[in-house]
Amino acid sequence: MLTAFIFAAILASPGEIELDKKLPVVFEKSAAHYRAIDAAATPFMDKGDVKEAVPHGDKPHGERRVPHGWDAKNGKLDMRSIYWWTSGHFPGSLWYLYEATGDEFFKERATVWTELVAPNSKVSDNHDVGFIMYCSFGNARRLLRTDRYDALLLETAASLAKRFNPDLGLIRSWGDIGEKRDFLVIPDNMMNLELLEWAAKAKGGEERFDDIARSHATKTIAHHFRADGGTYHVLNYDQRPGFCGVVQEIRRGQGLSCETAWSRGQSWAIYGYTMMYRETKDPAYLEFAQKVSDFAINHPNMPADGVPYWDFGAPGEERDSSAASIMASGLLELSTFVPGEKGAKYRAFAVKQLLSLCSNAYFAKPGENGDWLLKHGVGHKPAGGEIDTPLDYGDYYFLEALLRFRRLAGGFSPVM
Ligand code: GLY
């Protein structure tokens, strides 16, 4: 009786009860999908017979590859260099499947794919090393309860910190560190601050990593959003003395225009400011996480099922399931920090999104979608790339959100 009461109190709505019931089946199906991807990808993990995504320059192990997506035209897995920005998401999803199921197969395969991306610890020519290393090695250290990867993660944090410009108080997202004309920053960069926050607190870490993360997050609040909380994609900051820190140019980047909000960028902001509040307890980040969330969930162009169009200014065009899964994961965490009706609203919205993503409209059947979980992602529509397709990061945040929901609903992991 008491158990039933507690259970009913934790699962707040019929939608939550429905999602909770679906979880075991969704995790089981997801595990089967990822076993299939792992089997298809393993023969190519260090071979060149795959799509070339980025030049490797003189980086070591440039031939190593990780599954990224699905090349539907040629009916084959799209594998990309370990230096592609998403190379941590496939290993990270394997870790989440280990957390979800306790199946040792996923621990073993996650370890193999995680260790493949290790050379990124020395990379400082992009900000994405935070995604790459923290989604893979960060989950490995958490689930294995080991410190054996800490030196590698600290090295990565130091590599990322090289991109911080103290005059601007920002981390450069794209471009060479010494580039004088352009200093490009995107909201995605907020996600990479999680590695810095971990590194500031870790044994052997440095406080400056926290200073850098806070500075970047605070400057980004000041410049990167319109009054209504909608995000720009790319800002180009001036570095000239006398103009330092002034926004010299706004670029539409992966969004529809400079006047509309690119949906995944908005989701990165929701997730990123919520995470920064978790790590710092600075109320400014909590307030801002709510502002960017309210923009998204109350937007007149938000579809009824909670899966946004690829840009908030593009109603009727393709949905982006990755924007929905990132947002759902961020909103679930945000709901734990915001009391009362407002917090309940964020949680209810995330549950709605997850129910949609678990439905046949988005969750692929075995053998379709290259065996990736979520259909209907949009990578870079203005460039004509990856439109209405699976995306490795869409799956990663989907699994993360389901695990977050399971914890909120009182469920336990077999390995935690
Ligand atoms: N960070 C690149 C993207 O979200 O597409």
Side-chain angles (χ1 to χ4, degrees):
M1 185 65 188
L2 182 65
T3 318
F5 173 76
I6 292 168
F7 194 68
I10 293 170
L11 293 172
S13 68
E16 296 202 4
I17 293 168
E18 189 188 341
L19 184 59
D20 190 59
K21 275 203 196 116
K22 280 183 193 285
L23 284 182
V25 176
V26 175
F27 284 139
E28 193 185 310
K29 286 185 183 170
S30 301
H33 280 252
Y34 269 67
R35 276 178 181 269
I37 297 173
D38 174 66
T42 296
F44 300 105
M45 69 197 320
D46 56 3
K47 290 209 180 117
D49 179 27
V50 285
K51 187 170 170 179
E52 198 63 54
V54 287
H56 301 127
D58 56 2
K59 289 174 184 167
H61 307 298
E63 74 282 4
R64 294 182 177 189
R65 286 166 168 80
V66 175
H68 160 70
W70 177 236
D71 177 358
K73 204 163 131 219
N74 297 305
K76 67 178 191 173
L77 204 55
D78 175 3
M79 292 188 65
R80 303 229 173 157
S81 159
I82 58 164
Y83 298 114
W84 182 241
W85 75 274
T86 72
S87 72
H89 290 109
F90 178 72
S93 290
L94 294 172
W95 285 117
Y96 283 148
L97 287 169
Y98 174 56
E99 183 172 358
T101 65
D103 185 337
E104 291 287 308
F105 169 84
F106 289 108
K107 181 165 103 175
E108 191 264 315
R109 298 311 297 159
T111 303
V112 169
W113 288 104
T114 290
E115 291 183 355
L116 199 74
V117 307
N120 281 286
S121 66
K122 298 188 191 312
V123 169
S124 52
D125 67 5
N126 67 76
H127 70 117
D128 293 316
V129 291
F131 276 117
I132 296 170
M133 298 296 277
Y134 206 63
C135 296
S136 55
F137 286 98
N139 278 308
R141 73 174 303 286
R142 180 176 66 85
L143 288 167
L144 299 179
R145 295 185 180 85
T146 179
D147 58 8
R148 73 171 181 259
Y149 299 127
D150 287 11
L152 201 70
L153 285 168
L154 288 171
E155 182 177 52
T156 313
S159 299
L160 177 58
K162 286 186 191 156
R163 299 185 67 74
F164 182 69
N165 179 321
D167 298 331
L168 274 73
L170 286 157
I171 298 169
R172 187 193 291 264
S173 303
W174 295 337
D176 291 337
I177 291 174
E179 157 74 52
K180 287 277 172 270
R181 201 191 46 162
D182 297 330
F183 190 102
L184 304 176
V185 179
I186 57 177
D188 325 23
N189 212 329
M190 286 300 302
M191 301 295 285
N192 295 309
L193 307 184
E194 191 167 8
L195 169 72
L196 296 178
E197 284 298 333
W198 171 82
K201 297 167 190 105
K203 193 164 164 234
E206 297 169 52
E207 234 177 273
R208 72 182 173 109
F209 295 138
D210 174 56
D211 298 338
I212 291 173
R214 287 177 195 248
S215 171
H216 183 91
T218 302
K219 289 270 152 98
T220 296
I221 290 178
H223 298 294
H224 220 113
F225 299 86
R226 302 178 195 93
D228 63 3
T231 183
Y232 298 110
H233 188 197
V234 188
L235 291 191
N236 188 0
Y237 289 92
D238 209 317
Q239 298 169 79
R240 289 172 300 166
F243 299 92
C244 195
V246 172
V247 176
Q248 58 178 338
E249 184 194 13
I250 300 171
R251 297 186 188 173
R252 78 168 179 191
Q254 283 159 264
L256 176 72
S257 73
C258 295
E259 304 315 319
T260 59
W262 172 52
S263 298
R264 194 164 53 257
Q266 196 71 29
S267 295
W268 294 138
I270 291 167
Y271 189 116
Y273 281 101
T274 303
M275 176 277 297
M276 280 302 287
Y277 177 70
R278 180 220 307 148
E279 294 300 325
T280 65
K281 293 290 175 283
D282 182 335
Y285 299 143
L286 181 60
E287 195 185 311
F288 202 67
Q290 293 175 73
K291 180 165 182 169
V292 288
S293 299
D294 293 345
F295 172 89
I297 71 175
N298 299 327
H299 199 283
N301 292 339
M302 174 62 87
D305 68 0
V307 179
Y309 297 104
W310 71 278
D311 188 288
F312 281 95
E317 297 189 16
E318 294 83 2
R319 307 295 190 88
D320 179 13
S321 54
S322 76
S325 65
I326 297 157
M327 197 185 294
S329 191
L331 289 175
L332 281 179
E333 180 164 44
L334 183 59
S335 76
T336 67
F337 299 135
V338 179
E341 260 178 47
K342 203 158 185 219
K345 193 172 163 191
Y346 295 137
R347 179 163 158 162
F349 198 87
V351 167
K352 175 172 77 171
Q353 290 179 307
L354 290 175
L355 280 169
S356 300
L357 295 176
C358 288
S359 75
N360 290 338
Y362 295 97
F363 193 89
K365 294 195 176 66
E368 68 172 9
N369 207 39
D371 273 307
W372 297 94
L373 307 182
L374 296 184
K375 302 182 277 187
H376 310 312
V378 174
H380 193 333
K381 181 153 178 180
E386 298 196 297
I387 301 166
D388 197 21
T389 193
L391 296 163
D392 48 3
Y393 44 92
D395 282 12
Y396 174 89
Y397 292 101
F398 172 64
L399 291 170
E400 180 183 85
L402 292 178
L403 287 166
R404 284 182 172 182
F405 173 73
R406 184 169 76 176
R407 276 194 293 281
L408 287 178
F412 296 99
S413 162
V415 297
M416 287 299 284

